[in-house]
């Protein structure tokens, strides 16, 4: 189960092309939306968000705290990046209902080392770098760890059906 992180947001009044001035000041524009939630224009510290995104990724459930609004649980839905510098320009947070299952693309992390790869007799080919996981938002894992140390002959493979997920999560 992924841990939850609280993120403080401020209401944003600057809209349109004027958000460039916010970015120069180190402020990241964002939007919060979801089923039953009116879209809210917000802003947050760009450096703090970049650190959070690098450490936690997209599949961490976030508690969004905005003054004057109730706390909302959301995932990072869309990141808009600069085409050259790859800096994050805008973030969309999608609010989720904690009682309804969702499908999320969860990254696959390879754990261990195959004896064949260690000897230089083979190369490891990872076909899927993400898996679509169906679970309640609080049960979505931050990553799926796949142990490849059992691959000691060319006849052995690891299929998606061999992967075990924590809790009640299932592969879609």
């Amino acid at each position: 189960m992924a841990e939850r992180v609280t993120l403080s947001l401020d209401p944003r009044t600057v809209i349109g092309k004027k958000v460039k001035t916010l970015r120069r000041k180190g402020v990241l524009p964002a939007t919060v939306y979801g089923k039953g939630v009116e879209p809210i224009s917000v802003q947050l510290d760009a450096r703090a968000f970049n650190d959070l995104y690098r450490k936690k990724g997209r599949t961490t459930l976030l508690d969004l705290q905005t003054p004057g609004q109730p706390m909302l649980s959301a995932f990072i839905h869309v990141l808009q990046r600069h085409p050259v510098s790859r800096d994050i320009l805008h973030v969309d947070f999608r609010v989720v209902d904690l009682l309804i299952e969702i499908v999320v693309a969860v990254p696959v992390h390879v754990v261990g080392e195959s004896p064949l790869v260690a000897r230089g007799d083979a190369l490891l080919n990872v076909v899927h770098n993400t898996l679509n996981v169906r679970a309640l938002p609080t049960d979505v894992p931050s990553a799926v760890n796949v142990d490849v140390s059992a691959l000691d002959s060319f006849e052995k493979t690891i299929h998606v059906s061999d992967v075990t997920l924590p809790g009640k999560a299932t592969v879609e």
Side-chain angles (χ1 to χ4, degrees), residues 61-138:
L61 187 61
L62 303 171
D63 288 330
L64 304 179
Q65 195 170 25
T66 308
Q69 298 282 337
M71 187 170 294
L72 300 170
S73 297
F75 285 104
I76 298 170
H77 186 64
V78 178
L79 288 176
Q80 182 182 1
R81 291 185 177 267
H82 189 276
V84 177
S85 67
R86 305 301 297 155
D87 291 337
I88 298 173
L89 299 176
H90 189 275
V91 181
D92 286 351
F93 295 105
R94 186 159 187 213
V95 176
V96 293
D97 186 349
L98 298 179
L99 302 176
I100 298 175
E101 286 187 338
I102 58 171
V103 177
V104 179
V106 177
V108 173
H109 291 169
V110 176
V111 178
E113 186 174 23
S114 168
L116 293 172
V117 175
R119 286 194 311 256
D121 294 339
L123 293 174
L124 183 65
N125 185 14
V126 180
V127 177
H128 297 286
N129 57 3
T130 62
L131 289 177
N132 289 333
V133 174
R134 176 182 289 278
L136 289 173
T138 55

Side-chain angles (χ1 to χ4, degrees), residues 17-91:
K17 293 183 179 182
K18 296 180 183 179
V19 295
K20 288 181 186 179
T21 58
L22 290 177
R23 291 187 191 110
R24 282 190 215 116
K25 295 177 185 175
V27 176
L28 182 64
T31 305
V32 178
Y33 57 87
K35 185 175 181 181
V37 177
E38 288 292 321
I40 306 166
S41 295
V42 294
Q43 63 189 27
L44 63 153
D45 182 48
R47 181 173 288 176
F49 178 78
N50 286 331
D51 291 342
L52 171 80
Y53 184 69
R54 240 182 269 115
K55 291 176 186 172
K56 303 295 182 180
R58 288 185 108 113
T59 57
T60 299
L61 187 61
L62 303 171
D63 288 330
L64 304 179
Q65 195 170 25
T66 308
Q69 298 282 337
M71 187 170 294
L72 300 170
S73 297
F75 285 104
I76 298 170
H77 186 64
V78 178
L79 288 176
Q80 182 182 1
R81 291 185 177 267
H82 189 276
V84 177
S85 67
R86 305 301 297 155
D87 291 337
I88 298 173
L89 299 176
H90 189 275
V91 181

Side-chain angles (χ1 to χ4, degrees), residues 10 17 51 61 119-120 126 144 150 156 159 163 165 171-172:
D10 297 320
K17 293 183 179 182
D51 291 342
L61 187 61
R119 286 194 311 256
V126 180
V144 176
K156 291 188 177 179
H159 299 280
V163 175
L165 296 174
V171 176
E172 187 69 13

